[in-house]
Amino acid sequence: MDLIDVNAGIVRGVAENIAKHSPNAVIIVVSNPLDEMTALAQLATGFPKHRVIGQAGVLDSARFAAFIAWELGVSVKDVTAMTLGGHGDTMVPLIRYASVQGIPVMELLEQKYGSAAKAEEVMTAMVERTKAAGGEVVKLLKTGSAFYSPASAAIAMTESILKDQKRVLPTCALLNGEFGVNGFYVGVPTVIGAGGVEKVVEIQMNKDEQAMFDSSVNAVKGLVDACKGIDSSLV
């Protein structure tokens, strides 16, 4: 929220110049507040929705996977983890889908601690750390913010586009009815290829996951409303 005033102007200016000088580009937005700045970039360029993508989900999921790997003492390369929703405190790390080479993470945590209750406690701590990871980095650096992990996430997305890898990555995409959301940029699983977002992959969420996702979407809508007071094109 603190960045909206300054970044809205910067993003609009950059986006308009991209449209002018690189009309066939695929844009990966990294600026915060991520979901709202991605929406602004799409409106400012007039590009089709599949060619303007927000980066956050790949970054947040990588952090979640890293915490799981450290906790279980395994390679992060073997961990599959995913976060959905807005980029921030309301993101939704999908515990049920987290695995190590197909083995559910919760099963491995129960084996490690010998208790389902302790496994839940440890997972809850990892989820909360994932949500606050950006702030954790800022506090450690004292000046500036995270740079390596966002760059790594952007590279993964860029490679999938340039090499048409069609990777399934959680990105900030404009939804038109998927997941029950219409007209908002939200973090969801997507197929990323030469055309940008080639498909939104809808998954089944249980009652609790859906409630958290809905809450995250509502938080995004609230920030979009705040942005409307700064940039009338968002209205």
Side-chain angles (χ1 to χ4, degrees), residues 105-211:
V105 168
M106 291 306 298
E107 182 177 322
L108 294 173
L109 287 174
E110 287 185 35
Q111 290 178 10
K112 178 176 179 178
Y113 290 103
S115 163
K118 180 62 177 178
E120 289 281 355
E121 178 185 332
V122 172
M123 175 55 78
T124 297
M126 288 193 288
V127 165
E128 293 307 312
R129 191 179 182 190
T130 300
K131 292 180 179 181
E136 182 179 343
V137 173
V138 169
K139 289 178 181 178
L140 290 169
L141 288 176
K142 300 189 186 305
T143 58
S145 59
F147 51 90
Y148 180 86
S149 48
S152 179
I155 287 169
M157 295 174 67
T158 302
E159 282 188 336
S160 194
I161 292 167
L162 293 176
K163 299 178 181 179
D164 196 25
Q165 293 175 336
K166 301 190 186 302
R167 293 192 62 190
V168 178
L169 299 171
T171 65
C172 181
L174 182 60
L175 301 183
N176 286 324
E178 301 93 343
F179 290 93
V181 179
N182 193 40
F184 288 92
Y185 268 93
V186 180
V188 292
T190 57
V191 176
I192 301 296
V197 174
E198 298 189 350
K199 182 181 179 180
V200 172
V201 181
E202 292 193 78
I203 61 174
Q204 293 296 319
M205 288 186 278
N206 61 32
K207 184 178 179 181
D208 291 339
E209 292 163 346
Q210 188 66 55

Side-chain angles (χ1 to χ4, degrees), residues 17-115:
N17 276 287
I18 290 173
K20 180 180 178 180
H21 299 289
S22 300
N24 298 316
V26 176
I27 299 176
I28 298 173
V29 179
V30 183
S31 304
N32 281 317
L34 191 281
D35 309 276
E36 295 69 33
M37 293 302 102
T38 306
L40 177 57
Q42 194 268 332
L43 287 167
T45 58
F47 285 2
K49 65 176 185 176
H50 63 274
R51 288 204 283 123
V52 182
I53 320 164
Q55 175 237 63
V58 181
L59 167 61
D60 295 330
S61 298
R63 287 170 170 165
F64 189 28
F67 298 146
I68 291 170
W70 294 344
E71 174 62 34
L72 293 173
V74 300
S75 171
V76 72
K77 292 181 179 180
D78 294 326
V79 178
T80 298
M82 182 167 55
T83 64
L84 303 184
H87 179 52
D89 296 342
T90 63
M91 74 177 72
V92 185
L94 290 179
I95 298 170
R96 194 163 51 91
Y97 286 95
S99 67
V100 178
Q101 285 287 36
I103 306 168
V105 168
M106 291 306 298
E107 182 177 322
L108 294 173
L109 287 174
E110 287 185 35
Q111 290 178 10
K112 178 176 179 178
Y113 290 103
S115 163

